[in-house]
Amino acid sequence: LRRRRRELRSRMELLIMETQAEMCRALAALDPGASFVVDSWERKEGGGGISCVLQDGEVFEKAGVNVSVVSGLLSEEAARQMRSRGKSLKAKDGKLPFCAMGVSSVIHPKNPHVPTMHFNYRYFEIEEADGTKQWWFGGGTDLTPTYLNEEDAVHFHKTLKEACDKHDLKLYPKYKKWCDDYFYIKHRGERRGIGGIFFDDLDSPSKEEVFQFVKSCAKAVVPCYIPIVKKHCHDSFTPEEKLWQQLRRGRYVEFNLLYDRGTKFGLLTPGSRIESILMSLPLTARWDYMHNPPESSKEAEILEVLRNPKDWVH
């Protein structure tokens, strides 16, 4: 890969591997009693990946950081999903060769005062019937706290805004709104968390400029989240606070299985590694019947923000 550094695909592959290594090192330093299972896998249809998963640590109940680089022919279901987003894909004899690569992580801490965090940065390329290639980048970083801490929310969003502002001052507000809209659990009328940034199908102004933007976002992942974990991982908590965390985890599962486009794409792609796709699910969650928190409680406070997203940086 380093010998082919002039090729953007090689640089993107290096970036996702570096991001995986940086995040795994940072997580391992916070939870020294636990260790990552490092699982390399190959896909017979083309490509493979490396899954790094830590389970049942002192700090993290489950923390996974995956990279994958896969290629082959796009399934008809996956192509249909892309066309529904406005992609004009011209297949040759019904076949669409593709290459996809990305880094994806979901971190579920044990302590209910430490938020769950997710990030994903990816590159996609499709070769059409006439040999032309369509390409785009996608990704984002978002925070899902069990309890609201405004100082943490501001730190998280400001760090992501600084990464975006290096490239264009319009990007953070645009992708912050996209994140709030994307991570929406329609049947609950609430967001999955307090957002961050999210974007997809990004193919302008140029491949190099978009790559540099994605690189800035990926480099912001550790500084936007790890200080929050350090701050709260030894906070005391009650059984009632742990129960509320489990109920919020249930909402996380609902979004990922019903709405998340990455999960759907993975499940529709032949030869996908199901364990890696479903790594995002927590070890434990609850669905209590008709649970409603008391008015003016800390639990009601976070629900208000999930129903009405806030501007955290102005």
Side-chain angles (χ1 to χ4, degrees):
L1 286 171
R2 289 196 173 99
R3 282 200 303 271
R4 299 198 305 271
R5 283 196 95 117
R6 291 182 182 177
E7 298 174 24
L8 187 134
R9 271 170 56 168
S10 298
R11 288 157 66 206
M12 183 63 182
E13 197 168 337
L14 282 166
L15 174 63
I16 62 177
M17 292 171 70
E18 287 164 3
T19 304
Q20 181 188 45
E22 287 166 10
M23 180 52 86
C24 286
R25 280 195 293 266
L27 296 172
L30 290 173
D31 207 341
S35 58
F36 277 95
V37 173
V38 180
D39 187 12
S40 299
W41 53 274
E42 291 185 5
R43 178 175 172 269
K44 66 179 181 180
E45 293 83 357
I50 303 170
S51 298
C52 298
V53 181
L54 182 157
Q55 287 190 156
D56 272 331
E58 289 296 315
V59 175
F60 302 109
E61 184 177 288
K62 188 178 184 186
V65 194
N66 293 347
V67 296
S68 63
V69 181
V70 299
S71 58
L73 298 174
L74 205 61
S75 71
E76 186 51 47
E77 293 95 334
R80 197 178 300 124
Q81 183 191 339
M82 288 182 177
R83 289 188 178 106
S84 72
R85 313 207 305 265
K87 292 287 178 191
S88 175
L89 304 175
K90 304 178 190 73
K92 184 177 182 181
D93 302 324
K95 295 177 180 177
L96 279 165
F98 81 96
C99 166
M101 62 181 70
V103 56
S104 181
S105 175
V106 177
I107 298 155
H108 293 292
K110 280 194 167 175
N111 193 310
H113 297 294
V114 182
T116 285
M117 196 268 275
H118 155 261
F119 73 87
N120 169 268
Y121 291 100
R122 57 194 178 274
Y123 173 74
F124 213 94
E125 196 174 273
I126 287 181
E127 187 174 333
E128 296 190 275
D130 61 1
T132 59
K133 289 182 179 177
Q134 281 202 51
W135 59 268
W136 60 90
F137 290 85
T141 305
D142 63 281
L143 197 69
T144 305
T146 301
Y147 289 95
L148 184 63
N149 181 299
E150 296 217 1
E151 191 177 90
D152 296 343
V154 170
H155 164 79
F156 185 80
H157 277 268
K158 273 193 170 177
T159 308
L160 295 177
K161 182 179 184 296
E162 286 165 10
C164 294
D165 286 355
K166 292 176 188 174
H167 302 271
D168 189 330
L169 296 179
K170 296 175 185 172
L171 296 181
Y172 169 76
K174 179 181 179 181
Y175 297 149
K176 192 268 185 192
K177 183 181 185 307
W178 197 337
C179 188
D180 289 334
D181 292 343
Y182 177 76
F183 290 104
Y184 182 59
I185 309 171
K186 295 174 188 173
H187 61 276
R188 299 286 189 182
E190 61 192 44
R191 275 78 191 163
R192 189 178 77 176
I194 61 163
I197 56 171
F198 180 84
F199 55 89
D200 208 354
D201 302 327
L202 208 56
D203 58 5
S204 65
S206 71
K207 191 180 278 191
E208 180 62 29
E209 286 171 287
V210 182
F211 171 73
Q212 291 299 333
F213 167 64
V214 169
K215 185 175 180 179
S216 293
C217 294
K219 294 296 181 188
V221 167
V222 168
C224 77
Y225 181 61
I226 294 300
I228 298 174
V229 182
K230 286 181 178 177
K231 182 178 166 186
H232 296 292
C233 63
H234 299 301
D235 288 2
S236 61
F237 58 88
T238 66
E240 291 75 22
E241 288 170 334
K242 188 67 181 175
L243 169 64
W244 180 242
Q245 181 194 49
Q246 297 293 290
L247 293 167
R248 297 314 308 167
R249 292 253 183 92
R251 298 287 204 269
Y252 204 93
V253 172
E254 288 176 27
F255 178 86
N256 280 32
L257 294 183
L258 292 173
Y259 300 116
D260 187 68
R261 222 156 54 203
T263 303
K264 285 184 176 181
F265 178 81
L267 296 175
L268 293 173
T269 301
S272 288
R273 193 164 187 278
I274 302 303
E275 287 294 326
S276 296
I277 294 165
L278 298 182
M279 171 212 76
S280 64
L281 302 183
L283 281 187
T284 58
R286 282 179 71 118
W287 286 267
D288 284 14
Y289 185 69
M290 297 293 284
H291 184 280
N292 288 304
E295 286 186 31
S296 303
S297 64
K298 285 286 187 183
E299 291 79 11
E301 180 186 34
I302 187 74
L303 279 181
E304 174 60 27
V305 172
L306 300 179
R307 290 166 183 159
N308 301 288
K310 282 183 67 170
D311 178 352
W312 298 103
V313 297
H314 294 104

